[in-house]
Amino acid sequence: MSNKTKLYLKRGAVLVQKLNEKGFSAQIVERKEDVLAAVMDLIPKDDVVAWGGSVTLAQCGVIEKVRQERKVIDRDTAKSLAEKKEIMRQALLCDTFLMGTNAISMDGSLVNIDGTGNRVGALVFGPKQVIVVAGMNKVRENFDEALKRAWGEAAPMNMERFPEKNCGCSKTGVCAKCNSTDSICNQFLWTRRCNPQGRIKIILVAEDLGY
């Protein structure tokens, strides 16, 4: 086990306690290979599952697994933009919603930024439960540092997934806090606590994952 992994596990144990004190249901696993079992254990067999765009979920193979073993609402099946938007609306009433997160603060809160708002919308209300998977590289000491990570680091990296868009960071790689119609920084959400208790379940991973 590497020193980084040891450190992540120690910090993760502290963070799990903080998250649980704030109403979340949190756990930490050592490797991304452990994520699939942890996620599937949390999803009842009859649940309808949907998800938000997440590099972390893709890296862990979560989406393919749920496609195989659960009924899903899958926006990737859409044949048009209008159909995709309608499927994304339907996803807000699924049983289990899966997502990553842009940042987590050590006091036990989540910070997320969205372009369309479907991901943060589901996190706030709609699905019966939300499962968040996050590498420990997403963790920062406090809210200000978490917001800085979400806006200044994660957003420009995520913009690289959309080469058709054109805004400040797509040109320079540095957040310009632009007002472009192509901006993916439109909806900001600070999830300070989980209410109702246990609705948001967080799986921390002692690895560097996602953006």
Side-chain angles (χ1 to χ4, degrees), residues 110-127:
L110 308 179
V111 177
N112 283 283
I113 300 175
D114 248 11
T116 60
N118 63 299
R119 194 172 56 104
V120 298
L123 184 59
V124 172
F125 188 80

Side-chain angles (χ1 to χ4, degrees), residues 13-82:
V14 174
L15 180 53
V16 163
Q17 182 177 345
K18 293 289 186 181
L19 288 164
N20 289 338
E21 288 172 355
K22 289 193 168 185
F24 300 94
S25 177
Q27 60 179 293
I28 184 165
V29 299
E30 181 180 335
R31 306 170 305 153
K32 67 180 181 182
E33 289 80 9
D34 302 322
V35 170
L36 281 182
V39 168
M40 299 309 292
D41 282 347
L42 295 173
I43 307 176
K45 292 189 181 298
D46 293 332
D47 267 20
V48 176
V49 182
W51 52 85
S54 168
V55 172
T56 298
L57 294 179
Q59 288 174 327
C60 296
V62 171
I63 303 306
E64 289 308 310
K65 185 70 169 178
V66 296
R67 280 177 173 146
Q68 294 166 8
E69 299 190 8
R70 298 292 188 274
K71 183 178 179 180
V72 300
I73 299 174
D74 188 349
R75 66 186 184 183
D76 291 337
T77 63
K79 296 178 176 58
S80 67
L81 180 59

Side-chain angles (χ1 to χ4, degrees), residues 104-165:
I104 308 177
S105 60
M106 275 301 294
D107 66 348
S109 62
L110 308 179
V111 177
N112 283 283
I113 300 175
D114 248 11
T116 60
N118 63 299
R119 194 172 56 104
V120 298
L123 184 59
V124 172
F125 188 80
K128 294 178 182 177
Q129 69 169 352
V130 178
I131 300 175
V132 178
V133 180
M136 283 295 294
N137 56 303
K138 302 284 188 76
V139 177
R140 293 295 184 269
E141 290 303 317
N142 52 51
F143 169 78
D144 289 341
E145 291 300 314
L147 178 60
K148 186 182 298 184
R149 185 199 188 278
W151 206 355
E153 297 178 36
M157 284 293 293
N158 276 302
M159 181 57 80
E160 293 300 314
R161 297 160 58 200
F162 306 105
E164 73 280 5
K165 291 184 179 292

